[in-house]
């Protein structure tokens, strides 16, 4: 423990300076504030245009199903694998502390709530952003630099309805589904560690884990930890698709431009997911205390 | 009366990008059924001029008229209707990579018309035959050669039976033999369908084959605009330099005799 005197009084000033410099540096790296606002505006506009096209979804079912397959089946194993280890990490980290107080029976609830509320949606979204989102950006970027998007415009074909809607809809559905997979495997992974390394019985672990998840929400009669997590995933899915498609469509200048657009898409998706995560958590749990 | 025979008219069009002037008072007219070539060095704004004609870019000042309508005065619907009467052949083809050749051709019809699938199919076959690749329908753009992509690009531009077709460097990236066959195809298309065309190209062979008139774009203006025959026997010094006429004189019999 620190005593009062062990923190020098210039310490807060230094901390503030570091915070300010790193914020400025980040803004500068992001290409300036104006560019940030312009991009946010373009993405919101694309989101609105995509929502306006939702009635076309049935007409686009062929491409929608194709994207569903690409986003879901092709990433299933990655999400499962990472989910397993995340569950194991949470279990180990919390388990070691809990075991010191003889509270191993609380590992199940902690892992379950941690996965369902935060880690499942977050990890799934980050994985989808870096695999499927980057592929989306590269695909749209290639179409942009090879004049395919211009060709669509010249032929008066709505690119939002043809290209973007199926991708956004597919990710909006796949992201929650993969989150469920991630949650389940994560809880299982946590169980392995709890059982093998911390000596918690399987029955106790699983019973307490699922009991912890069954607390219903106030307004929606469904386990709150689960539905808030899935709603987050749904938002993340839309965010990844919109950010990736928009960055890709703005690619200019050949393969180099496509590469730049792709890395921008992954970076902005990750930032977006983290920021949105905070606000969604705040909306769902912020007022509860 | 003469008004109706002009398909494209540019009047004193100016356009600059971040302070750099690209078009600086470009004016020309294209008559119905004619083919106008636009020649000029790389980066002189040939593509920019074409993009103005199809409404992808708006002039900073000046007027672009297509079929008598000022493009700037059209709303989105009007512009879409206008574009349906135009075809645009992109430099690299710009075919949609994840659609087959036939699906590429069918796309504008599927999206913008109420034709039945069999009618669409028939039109697609008709256009594929017109560009002399009747069997390519099932292939993907990545599986076909550059020359074939150009043909598909031309077929796609023609799918809505336009009255005006715009070609952006139709010979770019093709060897001389394939270029000649594409140029013959372009001429045949003009003659068989009676469409007007605007061809951006810097290769002499192409414009000699397809163009009725040629315009030399220099510093954002039409420096020379003459019938093809006299265009390639230029008096203008800058154009002579561009074409390398003085070097070519020896090989050209009609030049040698004059
Ligand atoms: N959308 C644009 N934004 C900024 N500059 C452009 C744009 N389009 C073209 N330019 C510039 O205009 C000039 C002419 O381009 P272009 O018409 O493509 O030349 P070309 O005659 O070879 O077809 C180029 O220097 C290019 O950088
Ligand atoms: Mg060009």
């Amino acid at each position: 423990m620190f005593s009062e005197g062990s923190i020098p009084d210039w310490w807060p000033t230094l901390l503030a300076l570091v915070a300010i410099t790193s914020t400025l540096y980040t803004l500068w790296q992001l290409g300036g504030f104006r560019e940030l606002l312009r991009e946010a505006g373009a993405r919101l506009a694309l989101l609105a245009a995509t929502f306006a096209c939702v009635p076309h979804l049935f007409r686009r079912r062929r491409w929608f199903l194709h994207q569903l397959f690409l986003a879901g089946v092709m990433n299933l194993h990655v999400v499962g694998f990472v989910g397993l280890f995340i569950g194991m990490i949470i279990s180990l980290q919390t388990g070691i502390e809990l075991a010191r107080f003889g509270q191993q029976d609380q590992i199940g609830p902690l892992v379950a709530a941690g996965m369902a509320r935060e880690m499942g949606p977050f990890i799934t979204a980050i994985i989808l952003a870096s695999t499927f989102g980057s592929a989306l950006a590269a695909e749209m970027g290639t179409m942009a630099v090879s004049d395919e998007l211009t060709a669509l415009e010249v032929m008066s074909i709505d690119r939002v309805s043809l290209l973007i809607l199926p991708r956004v809809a597919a990710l909006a559905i796949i992201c929650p589904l993969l989150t469920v997979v991630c949650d389940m495997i994560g809880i299982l992974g946590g169980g392995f560690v709890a059982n093998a390394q911390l000596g918690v019985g399987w029955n106790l672990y699983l019973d307490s884990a699922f009991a912890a998840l069954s607390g219903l929400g106030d307004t929606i009669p469904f386990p709150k930890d689960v539905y808030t997590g899935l709603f987050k995933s749904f938002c993340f899915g839309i965010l990844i698709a919109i950010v990736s498609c928009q960055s890709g469509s703005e690619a200019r200048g050949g393969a180099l431009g496509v590469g730049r657009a792709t890395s921008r898409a992954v970076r902005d998706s990750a930032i977006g997911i983290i920021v949105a995560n905070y606000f969604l958590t705040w909306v769902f749990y912020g007022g509860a205390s | 009366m003469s008004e109706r025979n002009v398909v494209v008219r540019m009047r004193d069009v100016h356009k600059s990008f971040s302070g750099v002037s690209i078009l600086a008072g470009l004016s020309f007219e294209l008559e119905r059924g004619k083919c106008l070539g636009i020649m000029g060095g790389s980066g002189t704004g040939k593509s920019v001029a074409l993009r103005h004609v199809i409404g992808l870019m708006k002039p900073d000042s000046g007027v672009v008229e297509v079929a008598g309508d000022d493009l700037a005065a059209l709303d989105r619907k009007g512009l879409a209707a206008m574009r349906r009467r135009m075809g645009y052949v992109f430099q690299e083809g710009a075919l949609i990579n994840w659609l087959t050749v036939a699906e590429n051709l069918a796309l504008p019809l599927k999206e913008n018309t109420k034709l039945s699938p069999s009618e669409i199919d028939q039109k697609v076959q008709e256009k594929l035959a017109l560009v002399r690749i009747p069997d390519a329908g099932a292939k993907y753009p990545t599986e076909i050669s550059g020359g074939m992509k150009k043909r598909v690009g031309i077929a796609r531009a023609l799918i809505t039976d336009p009255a005006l077709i715009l070609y952006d460097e139709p010979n770019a990236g093709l060897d001389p033999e394939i270029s000649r066959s594409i140029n013959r195809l372009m001429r045949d298309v003009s003659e068989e369908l009676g469409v007007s065309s605007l061809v951006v190209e810097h290769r002499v062979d192409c414009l000699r084959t397809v163009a009725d008139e040629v315009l030399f774009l220099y510093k954002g203006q039409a420096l020379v605009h003459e019938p093809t025959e006299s265009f390639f026997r230029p008096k203008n010094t800058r154009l002579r330099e561009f074409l390398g006429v003085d070097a070519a004189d020896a090989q050209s019999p009609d030049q040698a005799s004059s």
Side-chain angles (χ1 to χ4, degrees), chain B residues 46-47 91 168-169 200:
Chain B
K46 304 185 296 296
S47 299
Q91 200 166 319
D168 196 349
E169 306 215 11
V200 160

Side-chain angles (χ1 to χ4, degrees), chain B residues 8 20 30 39 51 104 109 171 203 208 232:
Chain B
V8 180
V20 182
L30 168 65
M39 204 171 214
R51 277 162 196 252
N104 260 290
L109 299 177
N171 287 3
R203 297 209 199 169
R208 268 197 201 273
F232 288 111

Side-chain angles (χ1 to χ4, degrees), chain A residues 60 62 148 153 155 163, chain B residues 83 95 98 103 111-112:
Chain A
R60 306 294 181 206
R62 178 180 159 201
E148 287 173 51
E153 192 182 342
M155 297 186 290
L163 299 172
Chain B
R83 282 175 176 166
L95 303 172
W98 34 274
E103 285 170 332
E111 294 289 316
N112 294 327

Side-chain angles (χ1 to χ4, degrees), chain A residues 85-147:
Chain A
F85 274 86
I86 293 292
M88 288 162 61
I89 292 169
I90 301 180
S91 182
L92 194 58
Q93 284 283 11
T94 57
I96 291 169
E97 290 302 313
L98 288 171
R100 296 221 309 234
F101 306 104
Q103 305 250 311
Q104 288 97 324
D105 54 334
Q106 288 303 307
I107 297 176
L110 267 173
V111 172
M115 285 307 294
R117 279 190 193 182
E118 285 298 337
M119 292 319 274
F122 179 68
I123 291 298
T124 308
I126 292 289
I127 291 173
L128 280 179
S130 55
T131 54
F132 192 67
S134 62
L136 267 192
E139 190 186 10
M140 299 303 285
T142 310
M143 291 187 76
V145 300
S146 63
D147 276 338

